[in-house]
Amino acid sequence: MSSPSPAAPNQAPNQAQSEALAPTIAVIGGGQLARMMAEPAAALGLPLRLLAEAPGVSAAQVIPDHVVGDYRDLATLREVTAGAAVVTFDHEHVPTDHLRALAADGVGVHPGPEALVHAQDKAVMRERLSALGAPCPRFARIADAADLAAFGFPCVLKTTRGGYDGKGVWFVREPADAEPAFAAAAASGVELLAEELVDFARELSAIVVRAPSGQAAAYPVVATTQLDGICHEVIAPAPDLPEERATAAQQLALRLAGELGVTGVLAVELFETADGTILVNELAMRPHNTGHWTQDGAVTSQFENHLRAVLDLPLGAPDPRARWTVMVNILGAPDREDGTPVGRLYDGYPHALARDPRLRVHLYGKSMRPGRKVGHVNAYGEDLEDCLERARHAAAWFRGDLGDESE
Ligand code: ADP
């Protein structure tokens, strides 16, 4: 399922037409983040060309102009970006050397390799953030058990690269807890980073968007609930967050976006401790799960602003549309013992949509698998408890946590 480059003679007429109207944006990675870029791209008339990791993956279902291939292969990246004005990402794993090669080919790479490395490598990120004076947990690179003993317990061990959704993160209270971390690091050939175990009161996220010209926008700071390292729920804005702390978090995110030269969305995941201290957990340089609420709860979604930013177009207002927006992820539940699925996707619509006509549902075209993010719901309104109840009910219903008689 390989599509021709724009100059190819067998180019589809509609492709040629749309490329004449606006520059093509190449997107690497066929997950739900790329899929959700397609909606504002359609609205703005921006052609997307996708590199999908397999036929039929989430974004390939909605972006017809796609190539199936390996993002680690430079020739494949060149095929996808040929004729594209810019390239951006659904994930952060494209090797930076390849991105430098694409930039040398004349493709605008957003975010560029010098910025992206801070989202790829947690040790590089920690060292740079510390040099910039950003508040971080105490950390050290760990080569062996002696380094770990010197760092002290309890701590959190992380693979410096390749982790996501809590994979590659171990909570270590004594030396034996570190064995799986050392084994995983040895097997994948990546380094380990130790961090002090932060006794946080809650997790926050500050999302900003920055265009190459330097224009930037900051979304309201949100509160996020993670279970087993996976984002479950987001409340926008973070309840009871003092205004000066929210502003400081936004300013920190804007400063980091500028200092690191980020283009597009930067999500700064934060820990807030009981005494009000804010520490940076990690950075993501792409639309982020903690920003999905913006699709329905903000004037301009993070996906639209990401596309505007990578093209260096004026950014849209990040202001909320309602006092509160709650996002709850729909995660796949384990099957029943007889192998039938507990969760429901399309089959869940009659109840979920009838119960709450104001509910906003986003499914990713993925099948249910335990723990897999298959969609999310957004509920917005003036009353937080009402938004929480509606969004939690809908997500639980799709996940199959509620019986068939659910009201
Ligand atoms: P991932 O790359 O999987 O998102 P993170 O570094 O964000 O990994 O860690 C996943 C989760 O683990 C965080 O959201 C947080 O709940 C917890 N965590 C990570 N680092 C620390 C830390 N230093 N102290 C306490 N909890 C942590």
Side-chain angles (χ1 to χ4, degrees), residues 162-180:
Y164 67 99
D165 283 351
K167 295 179 180 64
V169 175
W170 294 267
F171 293 86
V172 176
R173 291 178 192 282
E174 51 181 293
D177 296 342
E179 280 164 22

Side-chain angles (χ1 to χ4, degrees), residues 122 158 164-166 195-196 198 200 203 271 281-282:
K122 289 177 178 172
K158 301 181 177 186
Y164 67 99
D165 283 351
E195 289 178 2
E196 122 196 33
V198 178
F200 56 82
E203 294 186 66
F271 298 130
N281 174 25
E282 69 165 346

